[in-house]
Coordinates of all heavy atoms in Angstrom, one line a residue:
Chain D
M247 N 1.9 -31.1 -77.2 CA 2.8 -30.9 -76.1 C 4.1 -30.1 -76.5 O 4.6 -30.5 -77.6 CB 3.1 -32.2 -75.3 CG 4.4 -32.8 -75.5 SD 4.6 -34.3 -74.6 CE 4.1 -33.8 -73.0
A248 N 4.6 -29.2 -75.7 CA 5.8 -28.5 -76.0 C 7.1 -29.5 -76.0 O 7.1 -30.4 -75.1 CB 6.0 -27.4 -75.0
L249 N 8.0 -29.3 -76.8 CA 9.2 -30.1 -76.9 C 9.8 -30.2 -75.6 O 10.2 -31.3 -75.1 CB 10.2 -29.4 -78.0 CG 11.5 -30.1 -78.1 CD1 11.5 -31.5 -78.5 CD2 12.5 -29.3 -78.8
Q250 N 9.9 -29.1 -74.8 CA 10.6 -29.0 -73.6 C 9.9 -29.7 -72.4 O 10.4 -29.6 -71.2 CB 11.1 -27.6 -73.3 CG 12.1 -27.1 -74.3 CD 12.9 -25.9 -73.9 OE1 12.5 -25.2 -73.0 NE2 14.1 -25.7 -74.5
S251 N 8.6 -30.2 -72.7 CA 7.9 -30.9 -71.7 C 7.9 -32.4 -72.0 O 7.4 -33.3 -71.3 CB 6.5 -30.5 -71.6 OG 6.5 -29.1 -71.2
I253 N 9.0 -36.2 -72.5 CA 9.9 -37.0 -71.6 C 11.2 -37.4 -72.3 O 12.2 -37.6 -71.7 CB 9.1 -38.3 -71.1 CG1 9.9 -39.2 -70.1 CG2 8.6 -39.2 -72.3 CD1 10.2 -38.5 -68.8
Y255 N 12.9 -35.6 -74.5 CA 13.7 -34.4 -74.5 C 14.3 -34.3 -73.0 O 15.6 -34.1 -72.9 CB 12.9 -33.2 -74.9 CG 13.7 -31.9 -74.7 CD1 14.7 -31.5 -75.6 CD2 13.6 -31.1 -73.4 CE1 15.4 -30.3 -75.4 CE2 14.3 -30.0 -73.3 CZ 15.2 -29.6 -74.2 OH 16.0 -28.4 -74.0
M257 N 14.6 -36.5 -70.6 CA 15.6 -37.6 -70.2 C 16.9 -37.4 -70.9 O 17.9 -37.7 -70.4 CB 14.9 -38.9 -70.6 CG 15.3 -40.1 -69.9 SD 15.0 -40.1 -68.1 CE 13.4 -41.0 -68.1
T258 N 16.8 -37.0 -72.2 CA 18.1 -36.9 -73.0 C 18.9 -35.8 -72.5 O 20.1 -36.0 -72.3 CB 17.8 -36.7 -74.5 OG1 17.0 -37.8 -74.9 CG2 19.0 -36.5 -75.3
Q261 N 20.3 -36.8 -69.0 CA 21.4 -37.9 -69.1 C 22.7 -37.2 -69.6 O 23.7 -37.6 -69.2 CB 20.9 -39.0 -70.1 CG 21.7 -40.2 -70.1 CD 22.9 -40.2 -71.0 OE1 23.0 -39.5 -71.9 NE2 24.0 -41.0 -70.6
Q263 N 23.8 -34.1 -69.2 CA 24.4 -33.4 -68.0 C 25.1 -34.4 -67.1 O 26.2 -34.1 -66.7 CB 23.4 -32.5 -67.4 CG 22.9 -31.4 -68.2 CD 23.9 -30.3 -68.5 OE1 24.9 -30.1 -67.9 NE2 23.7 -29.5 -69.5
V264 N 24.4 -35.4 -66.7 CA 24.9 -36.4 -65.7 C 26.2 -37.0 -66.4 O 27.3 -37.1 -65.7 CB 23.9 -37.4 -65.3 CG1 24.6 -38.5 -64.6 CG2 22.8 -36.7 -64.6
G283 N 31.1 -48.5 -65.8 CA 30.1 -49.5 -65.8 C 30.5 -50.9 -65.9 O 30.1 -51.7 -65.2
E290 N 31.7 -56.0 -58.5 CA 30.6 -56.6 -57.8 C 30.4 -58.1 -58.0 O 30.0 -58.7 -57.0 CB 29.3 -55.7 -58.1 CG 29.3 -54.4 -57.5 CD 28.1 -53.5 -58.0 OE1 27.1 -54.1 -58.4 OE2 28.3 -52.2 -58.1
I302 N 23.5 -56.1 -68.3 CA 23.4 -55.2 -67.1 C 23.5 -53.7 -67.6 O 22.7 -52.9 -67.2 CB 24.5 -55.5 -66.2 CG1 24.4 -56.9 -65.4 CG2 24.6 -54.4 -65.1 CD1 25.5 -57.3 -64.6
Q304 N 22.8 -52.7 -70.7 CA 21.8 -52.5 -71.7 C 22.5 -52.0 -73.0 O 22.0 -51.1 -73.6 CB 20.7 -51.6 -71.3 CG 19.8 -52.1 -70.2 CD 18.6 -51.3 -69.9 OE1 18.1 -50.5 -70.7 NE2 18.0 -51.6 -68.7
D355 N 30.6 -41.9 -55.4 CA 29.7 -41.5 -54.4 C 29.6 -40.0 -54.4 O 28.6 -39.4 -54.3 CB 30.3 -42.0 -53.1 CG 30.1 -43.5 -52.8 OD1 29.4 -44.1 -53.6 OD2 30.6 -44.0 -51.8
N358 N 27.4 -38.7 -57.2 CA 26.0 -38.9 -56.9 C 25.5 -37.9 -56.0 O 24.3 -37.4 -56.1 CB 25.8 -40.3 -56.4 CG 25.6 -41.3 -57.5 OD1 24.5 -41.6 -57.9 ND2 26.7 -42.0 -58.0
Q379 N 12.2 -47.9 -62.9 CA 11.1 -48.5 -63.5 C 11.1 -48.3 -65.0 O 11.0 -49.2 -65.8 CB 9.8 -47.9 -62.9 CG 8.6 -48.8 -63.2 CD 7.4 -48.3 -62.3 OE1 7.6 -48.1 -61.1 NE2 6.2 -48.3 -62.9
V380 N 11.4 -47.0 -65.4 CA 11.4 -46.7 -66.9 C 12.6 -47.5 -67.5 O 12.5 -48.0 -68.6 CB 11.7 -45.2 -67.1 CG1 11.9 -44.9 -68.5 CG2 10.4 -44.4 -66.6
D384 N 16.3 -54.5 -62.9 CA 16.0 -55.6 -62.0 C 16.6 -55.4 -60.6 O 17.8 -55.3 -60.5 CB 16.5 -56.8 -62.6 CG 16.3 -58.1 -61.7 OD1 15.5 -58.0 -60.8 OD2 16.9 -59.2 -62.0
Chain O
M159 N 28.9 -47.5 -53.3 CA 27.5 -47.6 -53.8 C 27.5 -48.6 -54.9 O 28.4 -48.8 -55.8 CB 27.0 -46.2 -54.2 CG 26.9 -46.0 -55.7 SD 26.3 -44.3 -56.0 CE 24.8 -44.3 -55.0
A160 N 26.4 -49.3 -55.0 CA 26.2 -50.4 -56.1 C 26.0 -49.6 -57.5 O 25.4 -48.6 -57.5 CB 25.0 -51.2 -55.8
L161 N 26.6 -50.2 -58.5 CA 26.5 -49.7 -59.9 C 25.0 -49.4 -60.2 O 24.6 -48.4 -60.7 CB 27.0 -50.7 -60.9 CG 26.8 -50.4 -62.4 CD1 27.6 -49.2 -62.8 CD2 27.2 -51.6 -63.2
Q162 N 24.1 -50.3 -59.9 CA 22.7 -50.2 -60.2 C 21.9 -49.2 -59.4 O 20.7 -49.0 -59.6 CB 22.0 -51.6 -60.3 CG 22.7 -52.5 -61.3 CD 21.8 -53.6 -61.7 OE1 20.9 -54.1 -60.9 NE2 22.0 -54.2 -62.9
I165 N 23.4 -42.7 -60.2 CA 22.5 -41.9 -61.0 C 22.9 -41.9 -62.5 O 22.0 -41.9 -63.4 CB 22.5 -40.4 -60.4 CG1 21.5 -39.6 -61.3 CG2 23.9 -39.8 -60.5 CD1 20.1 -39.9 -61.0
Y167 N 24.2 -44.5 -64.1 CA 23.7 -45.8 -64.6 C 22.1 -45.7 -64.8 O 21.6 -46.0 -65.9 CB 24.0 -47.0 -63.7 CG 23.3 -48.3 -64.1 CD1 23.9 -49.0 -65.0 CD2 22.2 -48.7 -63.5 CE1 23.3 -50.3 -65.5 CE2 21.5 -49.9 -63.9 CZ 22.1 -50.7 -64.8 OH 21.5 -51.8 -65.2
M169 N 20.1 -43.1 -65.1 CA 19.7 -42.2 -66.1 C 20.0 -42.7 -67.5 O 19.2 -42.5 -68.4 CB 20.6 -40.8 -65.9 CG 20.0 -39.6 -66.5 SD 18.4 -39.1 -65.7 CE 19.0 -38.0 -64.4
T170 N 21.1 -43.4 -67.7 CA 21.5 -43.9 -69.0 C 20.6 -45.0 -69.4 O 20.1 -45.0 -70.6 CB 23.0 -44.5 -69.0 OG1 23.8 -43.3 -68.6 CG2 23.4 -44.9 -70.3
Q173 N 17.1 -43.5 -70.2 CA 17.1 -42.7 -71.4 C 17.1 -43.6 -72.6 O 16.4 -43.4 -73.6 CB 18.3 -41.7 -71.5 CG 18.3 -40.7 -72.5 CD 18.8 -41.2 -73.9 OE1 19.6 -42.1 -74.0 NE2 18.4 -40.5 -75.0
Q175 N 15.8 -46.7 -72.8 CA 14.4 -47.3 -73.0 C 13.5 -46.2 -73.7 O 12.8 -46.6 -74.5 CB 13.9 -47.7 -71.7 CG 14.6 -49.0 -71.0 CD 14.4 -50.3 -71.9 OE1 13.5 -50.3 -72.7 NE2 15.3 -51.2 -71.6
G195 N 13.3 -33.5 -82.5 CA 13.7 -32.4 -81.7 C 13.9 -31.1 -82.5 O 13.5 -30.1 -82.1
E202 N 7.7 -24.6 -83.1 CA 7.3 -23.8 -82.0 C 7.8 -22.4 -82.2 O 7.2 -21.4 -81.8 CB 7.9 -24.4 -80.7 CG 7.1 -25.6 -80.3 CD 7.7 -26.3 -79.0 OE1 8.4 -25.7 -78.3 OE2 7.4 -27.5 -78.9
I214 N 19.1 -25.4 -77.6 CA 17.9 -26.1 -77.1 C 18.1 -27.6 -77.0 O 17.7 -28.1 -75.8 CB 16.6 -25.8 -78.0 CG1 16.4 -24.2 -77.9 CG2 15.4 -26.6 -77.5 CD1 15.3 -23.8 -78.9
Q216 N 20.9 -29.1 -76.7 CA 22.1 -29.4 -75.9 C 23.1 -30.2 -76.8 O 23.6 -31.2 -76.2 CB 21.9 -29.9 -74.5 CG 21.1 -29.0 -73.6 CD 21.1 -29.5 -72.2 OE1 21.8 -30.4 -71.8 NE2 20.2 -28.8 -71.4
D267 N 2.5 -37.2 -78.0 CA 1.6 -37.2 -76.8 C 1.3 -38.6 -76.4 O 1.4 -38.9 -75.2 CB 0.2 -36.5 -77.2 CG 0.3 -35.0 -77.3 OD1 1.4 -34.4 -76.8 OD2 -0.6 -34.4 -77.7
N270 N 4.3 -40.1 -74.5 CA 4.6 -39.6 -73.2 C 3.6 -40.2 -72.2 O 3.9 -40.6 -71.1 CB 4.4 -38.0 -73.2 CG 5.6 -37.3 -73.5 OD1 6.4 -37.0 -72.6 ND2 5.9 -37.1 -74.8
F277 N 2.9 -44.3 -63.4 CA 3.1 -43.4 -62.2 C 2.0 -42.6 -61.8 O 1.1 -42.3 -62.6 CB 4.3 -42.5 -62.5 CG 5.6 -43.2 -62.9 CD1 6.2 -43.0 -64.2 CD2 6.2 -44.2 -62.1 CE1 7.3 -43.7 -64.6 CE2 7.3 -44.9 -62.4 CZ 7.9 -44.6 -63.7
V292 N 18.1 -31.2 -63.4 CA 19.4 -31.9 -63.7 C 19.8 -31.5 -65.1 O 21.0 -31.2 -65.4 CB 19.3 -33.4 -63.5 CG1 20.5 -34.2 -64.1 CG2 19.0 -33.8 -62.1
D296 N 15.7 -24.4 -69.3 CA 15.1 -23.0 -68.9 C 13.7 -23.1 -69.2 O 13.2 -23.3 -70.3 CB 15.8 -22.1 -69.9 CG 15.3 -20.7 -69.7 OD1 14.5 -20.5 -68.8 OD2 15.5 -19.8 -70.6
E300 N 9.1 -22.4 -72.4 CA 7.9 -23.3 -72.6 C 6.7 -22.5 -73.0 O 6.5 -21.3 -72.6 CB 7.6 -24.0 -71.2 CG 8.5 -25.2 -71.1 CD 8.2 -25.9 -69.8 OE1 7.0 -26.1 -69.5 OE2 9.1 -26.2 -69.1

Side-chain angles (χ1 to χ4, degrees):
Chain D
M247 103 180 309
L249 174 66
Q250 296 196 339
S251 299
I253 185 70
Y255 173 81
M257 200 67 93
T258 299
Q261 195 274 336
Q263 293 292 342
V264 171
E290 285 171 26
I302 294 171
Q304 298 190 15
D355 284 352
N358 273 272
Q379 199 167 317
V380 172
D384 175 13
Chain O
M159 107 179 308
L161 173 65
Q162 297 196 338
I165 186 69
Y167 173 81
M169 201 68 92
T170 300
Q173 194 274 337
Q175 292 291 341
E202 286 171 24
I214 294 172
Q216 297 189 12
D267 284 351
N270 274 272
F277 304 122
V292 172
D296 175 13
E300 280 179 47

